[in-house]
Amino acid sequence: MKIFSESHKTVFVVDHCPYMAESCRQHVEFDMLVKNRTQGIIPLAPISKSLWTCSVESSMEYCRIMYDIFPFKKLVNFIVSDSGAHVLNSWTQEDQNLQELMAALAAVGPPNPRADPECCSILHGLVAAVEALCKITEYQHEARTMLMENAERVGNRGRIICITNAKSDSHVRMLEDCVQETIHEHNKLAANSDHLMQIQKCELVLIHTYPVGEDSLVSDRPKKELSPVLTSEVHSVRAGRHLATKLNVLVQQHFDLASTTITNIPMKEEQHANTSANYDVELLHHKEAHVDFLKSGDNHIGGNSREGTFKETVTLKWCTPRTNSVELHYCTGAYRISPVDVNSRPSSCLTNFLLNGRSVLLEQPRKSGSKVISHMLSSHGGEIFLHVLSSSRSILEDPPSISEGCGGRVTDYRITDFGEFMRENRLTPFLEPRYKIDGSLEIPLERAKDQLEKHTRYWPMIISQTTIFNMQAVVPLASVIVKEAMSDEDVLNCQKTIYNLVDMERKNDPLPISTVGTRGKGPKRDEQYRIMWNELETLVRAHINNSDKHQRVLECLMACRSKPPEEEERKKRGRKREDKEDKSEKLGKDYESDKPWQESERLKGLLDREKEELAEAEVIKDSPDSPEPPNKKPLITMDEMPTVEKAKGPMSLLSLWSNRINTANSRKHQEFTGRLNSVNNKAELYQHLKEENGMETTENGKAGRQ
């Protein structure tokens, strides 16, 4: 049971021998007042720090970051080694602060360059570090007390960081051997003691620091396991800012930290109070604050080049805060932060701004689209936290509709089939061991993954994208073909399914083809079956490598798809007949649509001609020189009317109406007698006068118009 990791205990061993008093040879300008200097005054010479000063400052920066982010359960024990080991603090929580360490280091003072180097050694500090790791901390004691009889399950792991100036690689190997032997001896002592704990795992980090401009006598080496208990790594670093950068990188590795750079922070200039400039501040925090970035793949990682090293940092943009921020934001996590450059003016201003009760929202930088606010900086109880805001759907809201997924507003998902798919692939306890064909033990998890892979080789998600999965006739084949091994009965069922599909095609049965997004009646029957056969072949070919019996199913399918010549000829005739029916149907629809227009045009023309004839007749009658009006045409019976020739086309609406009126009128009156007795359609008038007077009608001039 791993309760305490290597980060629970960290022992710093800093060399205090005379050679650590040597200058690091990295100069710092001490006299900064260059513009206002009076003439004639000699400027102050630049200064340089010693190796000891660089080591202490870098280790203190390591401890500061650790204390800011982990104020509890992460402990540091500081040891100075010269002629003996000087332990500056203990594992108690009261001693875990920078003030105690700085006061103790001030009491130790810088190394004496005139001391005897033979009397000083870093080995004293390494031995004391192993002793310190064997001691029980308050948190370990509390855990052992709670477990009682299982107290041995409490782990004791730690890390030793040694900063020294080694002579060579052989000197480094000697230091590693010393630590390994010391751990072995102290584990024996701890086994017989109730106040000590055996070291289960120890990480030794050797940092060889040397002045700038010199060649390193020690080579870097990555982490290497020297024994089941001890691992070691070697770093050769130049002193000064290079050593500080190295320890900054190590503290991130040791405590799983990540970097976030806040950009576009508006700040007023000291020299020009009316103007402002944008600054950047880099913060360190636990890497879990970037989990959402890593999941989405949109991590906005940028690189900061520091002395040739590439450092990853997530860039977030400053949002202008509101004056009174009393809103409650939905947060998924809160993590303490620590500025990287704590003494810089931008970091100091940001820290004071947040400690005064203000909150700052941070957004992800995007080139287009709406901004996404993903984090918030706020202080609680005098400590600053980086809050992770939920940029996705909240668990407090209603679950999303299935039509609001990645595919857009798709509504025809195979939901019922997917539920059946989940039931078929449920995970259950696997009690009895099974063995593969080669005799090796089959791992249940791997078998489950393999089954899931087989079932999803071809599984359309949308109803409109599949035909065979919408057909009940294909179910026997689709449920069997995904098996790893098929029996003879399974092969027979698959073949029966294929023969049934062939019979359906011969009968020209309809298929459940989706017509969503298509115009008209959709594809023709032959095209529907072609789509169905292609999809069925895709399904079978996806599992062809499972066994030889899967190959037999594919052979049966291909044999049924290759139709004989007479079948192809029958299909061609069927296609031609369907095309002819479609054309005739289309022409019929066109004629029906044009017929009313043609009839209306013909009727309009006849009415116009009748109007013209009537107008001409009126003009002739009213004119003084007009001749006698023409004889009226005698009424013609329906029997004498000429029949309409069928070759002239369909009868007009006017003709139909006239025939109907004439037929009806002929039944209502008796025909004129004169017309019945006429000769060549001419009848004599006043015949009774002729009979009485014995005179011709033409003689008295009273003959009527003939």
Side-chain angles (χ1 to χ4, degrees):
M1 183 177 180
K2 186 177 180 180
I3 296 180
F4 298 99
S5 64
E6 290 83 355
S7 301
H8 176 59
K9 292 180 177 180
T10 302
V11 182
F12 264 100
V13 181
V14 182
D15 200 343
H16 195 252
C17 294
Y19 47 79
M20 294 296 289
E22 185 179 354
S23 172
C24 71
R25 299 179 188 174
Q26 188 177 74
H27 298 291
V28 179
E29 290 293 338
F30 186 75
D31 192 355
M32 303 299 294
L33 302 176
V34 179
K35 296 182 179 180
N36 299 330
R37 182 182 297 117
T38 307
Q39 295 182 357
I41 298 178
I42 301 174
L44 298 175
I47 61 173
S48 61
K49 303 175 184 178
S50 63
L51 296 179
W52 161 259
T53 303
C54 295
S55 302
V56 169
E57 288 181 350
S58 302
S59 56
M60 285 297 100
E61 185 68 11
Y62 183 103
C63 296
R64 180 193 66 80
I65 295 173
M66 188 198 72
Y67 286 147
D68 284 348
I69 301 176
F70 301 101
F72 306 104
K73 294 189 178 182
K74 306 296 182 185
L75 309 176
V76 170
N77 192 277
F78 215 92
I79 298 175
V80 174
S81 178
D82 44 24
S83 57
H86 306 280
V87 181
L88 303 186
N89 66 337
S90 64
W91 293 123
T92 59
Q93 190 64 49
E94 291 78 11
D95 291 344
Q96 300 301 313
N97 57 79
L98 288 179
Q99 290 77 15
E100 292 287 338
L101 291 177
M102 295 295 286
L105 286 169
V108 171
N112 185 6
R114 289 181 289 274
D116 187 6
E118 299 296 332
C119 300
C120 301
S121 176
I122 192 66
L123 295 175
H124 303 298
L126 292 175
V127 173
V130 175
E131 294 177 358
L133 289 179
C134 290
K135 294 179 181 179
I136 302 176
T137 65
E138 296 175 352
Y139 300 102
Q140 288 176 326
H141 177 70
E142 182 181 355
R144 293 180 69 183
T145 305
M146 292 176 61
L147 291 176
M148 297 300 290
E149 65 274 4
N150 296 324
E152 67 277 359
R153 297 174 64 183
V154 178
N156 184 31
R157 299 169 179 83
R159 182 180 291 113
I160 299 175
I161 301 176
C162 177
I163 304 178
T164 183
N165 182 267
K167 298 179 177 62
S168 61
D169 290 336
S170 59
H171 185 205
V172 171
R173 285 193 294 271
M174 184 268 293
L175 297 179
E176 293 172 343
D177 294 339
C178 174
V179 174
Q180 185 175 353
E181 293 175 3
T182 306
I183 291 175
H184 182 69
E185 294 175 359
H186 282 75
N187 278 347
K188 290 181 179 179
L189 297 175
N192 301 322
S193 175
D194 295 334
H195 304 287
L196 299 175
M197 293 183 67
Q198 290 182 326
I199 300 175
Q200 298 174 352
K201 195 72 176 178
C202 177
E203 289 185 6
L204 177 62
V205 181
L206 288 171
I207 301 177
H208 165 68
T209 181
Y210 57 96
V212 176
E214 290 188 1
D215 295 332
S216 176
L217 302 176
V218 178
S219 57
D220 288 348
R221 194 188 65 208
K223 184 180 292 187
K224 177 183 178 182
E225 184 175 347
L226 302 179
S227 69
V229 179
L230 180 64
T231 60
S232 174
E233 57 184 292
V234 181
H235 302 275
S236 182
V237 188
R238 289 174 292 175
R241 61 176 180 272
H242 308 283
L243 181 59
T245 302
K246 172 57 69 173
L247 281 171
N248 185 281
V249 173
L250 288 177
V251 72
Q252 296 183 51
Q253 295 176 358
H254 294 164
F255 296 97
D256 295 331
L257 305 182
S259 171
T260 296
T261 300
I262 304 174
T263 61
N264 295 339
I265 302 177
M267 291 178 55
K268 291 184 178 180
E269 296 287 349
E270 289 180 326
Q271 293 82 4
H272 307 283
N274 295 328
T275 61
S276 63
N278 293 334
Y279 292 92
D280 298 346
V281 174
E282 183 181 359
L283 305 176
L284 294 179
H285 50 81
H286 199 275
K287 67 179 182 180
E288 288 184 1
H290 291 166
V291 170
D292 292 340
F293 284 152
L294 299 177
K295 287 181 180 179
S296 63
D298 189 13
N299 48 16
H300 310 288
I301 287 183
N304 290 336
S305 179
R306 288 191 174 185
E307 306 302 329
T309 61
F310 182 82
K311 183 179 180 181
E312 290 186 348
T313 181
V314 172
T315 303
L316 296 177
K317 190 178 178 182
W318 169 286
C319 284
T320 303
R322 293 186 177 91
T323 306
N324 296 321
S325 180
V326 293
E327 298 179 0
L328 290 177
H329 298 277
Y330 175 55
C331 300
T332 59
Y335 306 94
R336 291 181 174 87
I337 61 100
S338 179
V340 173
D341 195 358
V342 68
N343 294 321
S344 67
R345 181 172 174 268
S347 298
S348 178
C349 291
L350 177 62
T351 303
N352 293 331
F353 181 84
L354 295 171
L355 291 176
N356 287 333
R358 306 291 293 273
S359 298
V360 176
L361 298 176
L362 306 175
E363 64 172 297
Q364 300 176 11
R366 291 195 171 187
K367 295 181 179 179
S368 61
S370 60
K371 64 180 181 180
V372 178
I373 298 176
S374 58
H375 293 76
M376 179 182 70
L377 282 173
S378 184
S379 63
H380 305 285
E383 293 181 293
I384 302 175
F385 290 83
L386 178 66
H387 298 73
V388 181
L389 305 181
S390 178
S391 56
S392 59
R393 185 183 293 268
S394 171
I395 58 174
L396 304 177
E397 301 177 15
D398 294 333
S401 172
I402 195 170
S403 63
E404 298 178 7
C406 300
R409 295 195 171 274
V410 180
T411 56
D412 59 337
Y413 286 107
R414 297 172 56 198
I415 302 175
T416 305
D417 295 343
F418 187 68
E420 186 65 27
F421 168 79
M422 290 191 294
R423 279 193 291 270
E424 293 176 354
N425 293 275
R426 284 182 297 181
L427 291 176
T428 56
F430 199 76
L431 303 178
E432 298 181 0
R434 293 181 59 177
Y435 296 90
K436 298 180 181 180
I437 300 177
D438 56 0
S440 60
L441 182 64
E442 186 177 36
I443 302 175
L445 181 60
E446 297 299 327
R447 182 186 174 212
K449 291 181 180 179
D450 184 62
Q451 177 178 334
L452 192 63
E453 187 272 333
K454 286 185 175 65
H455 280 71
T456 56
R457 284 179 186 173
Y458 182 75
W459 203 92
M461 297 181 62
I462 302 174
I463 297 175
S464 59
Q465 291 180 349
T466 179
T467 301
I468 60 175
F469 289 101
N470 300 331
M471 299 172 59
Q472 194 65 27
V474 188
V475 171
L477 185 146
S479 60
V480 171
I481 201 67
V482 296
K483 291 184 178 180
E484 184 177 0
M486 296 173 59
S487 62
D488 293 336
E489 184 178 359
D490 294 336
V491 175
L492 184 60
N493 290 333
C494 292
Q495 292 175 349
K496 288 181 179 179
T497 302
I498 297 173
Y499 296 150
N500 289 337
L501 295 176
V502 173
D503 189 53
M504 288 176 58
E505 185 178 14
R506 184 178 296 108
K507 295 178 181 178
N508 211 16
D509 292 340
L511 294 180
I513 297 291
S514 175
T515 58
V516 177
T518 59
R519 295 183 178 181
K521 297 188 298 183
K524 292 184 173 61
R525 196 62 53 83
D526 285 352
E527 181 67 17
Q528 293 179 9
Y529 275 95
R530 188 187 66 81
I531 295 173
M532 185 272 294
W533 286 117
N534 288 340
E535 187 179 6
L536 187 63
E537 182 180 349
T538 302
L539 174 64
V540 176
R541 285 189 181 277
H543 302 274
I544 190 176
N545 295 325
N546 291 2
S547 66
D548 295 337
K549 295 181 179 179
H550 289 78
Q551 179 68 33
R552 288 170 53 187
V553 176
L554 179 64
E555 293 173 356
C556 176
L557 174 63
M558 300 308 295
C560 292
R561 288 204 65 179
S562 57
K563 302 180 181 64
E566 57 272 12
E567 182 71 14
E568 289 294 332
E569 186 65 26
R570 188 183 67 82
K571 288 292 180 182
K572 288 182 180 179
R573 290 197 301 269
R575 282 195 294 270
K576 290 181 180 179
R577 185 170 62 255
E578 288 182 1
D579 294 341
K580 189 178 296 183
E581 291 176 356
D582 291 344
K583 289 182 179 179
S584 62
E585 183 179 353
K586 184 177 180 182
L587 291 174
K589 288 183 178 179
D590 294 342
Y591 175 74
E592 291 294 333
S593 61
D594 294 341
K595 186 175 180 181
W597 178 81
Q598 293 174 354
E599 293 292 338
S600 62
E601 289 293 324
R602 186 181 295 108
L603 181 60
K604 183 179 179 182
L606 292 174
L607 292 175
D608 291 341
R609 283 196 296 271
E610 287 182 359
K611 288 180 180 179
E612 292 177 359
E613 292 175 357
L614 289 175
E616 292 176 359
E618 291 293 332
V619 171
I620 295 173
K621 181 179 178 181
D622 296 338
S623 62
D625 299 329
S626 62
E628 289 293 327
N631 295 332
K632 292 184 178 179
K633 294 182 179 180
L635 183 64
I636 302 175
T637 61
M638 296 300 297
D639 298 334
E640 297 175 355
M641 290 183 64
T643 58
V644 180
E645 297 181 4
K646 294 184 179 180
K648 294 183 179 179
M651 185 178 293
S652 66
L653 182 62
L654 179 61
S655 301
L656 292 173
W657 180 256
S658 301
N659 293 340
R660 179 183 176 186
I661 294 299
N662 293 334
T663 304
N665 292 336
S666 64
R667 295 171 185 165
K668 293 180 181 179
H669 69 279
Q670 187 175 0
E671 186 59 52
F672 180 48
T673 305
R675 186 179 289 114
L676 293 175
N677 299 325
S678 64
V679 179
N680 295 329
N681 289 332
K682 294 181 179 180
E684 293 184 3
L685 297 179
Y686 310 112
Q687 292 183 5
H688 63 283
L689 295 178
K690 181 180 178 181
E691 294 175 354
E692 292 177 357
N693 301 326
M695 296 172 62
E696 292 291 335
T697 57
T698 56
E699 292 179 358
N700 53 19
K702 298 294 182 181
R705 295 175 183 172
Q706 297 179 354

